[in-house]
Amino acid sequence: KAGVTQTPRYLIKTRGQQVTLSCSPISGHRSVSWYQQTPGQGLQFLFEYFSETQRNKGNFPGRFSGRQFSNSRSEMNVSTLELGDSALYLCASSLVPDNNSPLHFGNGTRLTVT
Amino acid sequence: EDQVTQSPEALRLQEGESSSLNCSYTVSGLRGLFWYRQDPGKGPEFLFTLYSAGEEKEKERLKATLTKKESFLHITAPKPEDSATYLCAVQAFSGGYNKLIFGAGTRLAVHP
């Protein structure tokens, strides 16, 4: 069974640009969460999607947005990139939300903003 | 405020030298505690889930235990391939949702 797939693996962007990251969850998983990981802040929750609806959102500015499609695939978008947005962006999936089962993570997209 | 603290930040062991990693938490409405392993450049890999105090889980050289305030990840006779960052995450019910709070991790280096 294929794991969580994130594309692209690496991205280099310039300040002010925007970026879209993609995530395909494990087959049958309908809940997708996004996290930002940096050396200083660790893993920080961005948002969670289920049935194409955002269920929960972390404390990030509105420049960070996401969506989920009917096949459970998800994308996140960051507009007007800042240097501080450089991070590893991780997508995680689970069968459904709130069922206390573990999240399964992809290998992330490494975003570098110059 | 919900909080998860892992210690030590970094740990260096000789091959075969057993030790323990600590994860202490203060959350309301604990739903579960998860341990993950993360290798450089990769996403966290799920290891264990613990739901209630007194519970223990084992996998190869790793054993996770849970009390009401902390969890331990015991590593018995580690090998160099056990070198990784170990992350603890606590799932708490807050504001109508489950939320997952991660600790900062323990970087483990096992030397031959």
Side-chain angles (χ1 to χ4, degrees), chain B residues 23-27 30 33 52-54 65-71:
Chain B
C23 170
S24 63
Y25 59 91
T26 51
V27 298
L30 176 72
L33 185 142
S52 56
T65 61
L66 180 65
T67 72
K68 287 189 177 176
K69 301 229 170 179
E70 58 191 350
S71 175

Side-chain angles (χ1 to χ4, degrees), chain B residues 33-107:
Chain B
L33 185 142
F34 305 93
W35 282 98
Y36 288 86
R37 168 194 171 126
Q38 187 173 23
D39 292 299
K42 295 198 171 181
E45 174 191 348
F46 169 69
L47 293 173
F48 303 109
T49 307
L50 301 165
Y51 291 110
S52 56
E55 193 175 355
E56 298 183 352
K57 295 272 179 73
E58 277 189 77
K59 180 180 177 180
E60 295 179 358
R61 295 176 293 283
L62 300 177
K63 178 172 149 181
T65 61
L66 180 65
T67 72
K68 287 189 177 176
K69 301 229 170 179
E70 58 191 350
S71 175
F72 291 93
L73 185 65
H74 307 278
I75 304 177
T76 302
K79 298 183 178 183
E81 52 263 42
D82 294 321
S83 298
T85 295
Y86 290 85
L87 296 166
C88 165
V90 170
Q91 191 165 58
F93 191 74
S94 173
Y97 300 101
N98 273 353
K99 63 175 182 177
L100 198 59
I101 306 157
F102 279 87
T106 294
R107 291 190 315 279

Side-chain angles (χ1 to χ4, degrees), chain A residues 9 35 37 43 45 48 55-56 88 90 98-107, chain B residues 31 34 36 38 41-44 46 49 51 87 91 93 96-100 102:
Chain A
R9 287 281 283 131
Y35 287 81
Q37 187 176 34
L43 271 146
F45 172 70
E48 178 191 20
R55 297 186 71 248
N56 203 358
L88 180 66
L90 292 161
D98 295 338
N99 69 342
N100 305 330
S101 61
L103 297 181
H104 295 273
F105 286 85
N107 283 327
Chain B
R31 290 290 184 94
F34 305 93
Y36 288 86
Q38 187 173 23
K42 295 198 171 181
F46 169 69
T49 307
Y51 291 110
L87 296 166
Q91 191 165 58
F93 191 74
Y97 300 101
N98 273 353
K99 63 175 182 177
L100 198 59
F102 279 87

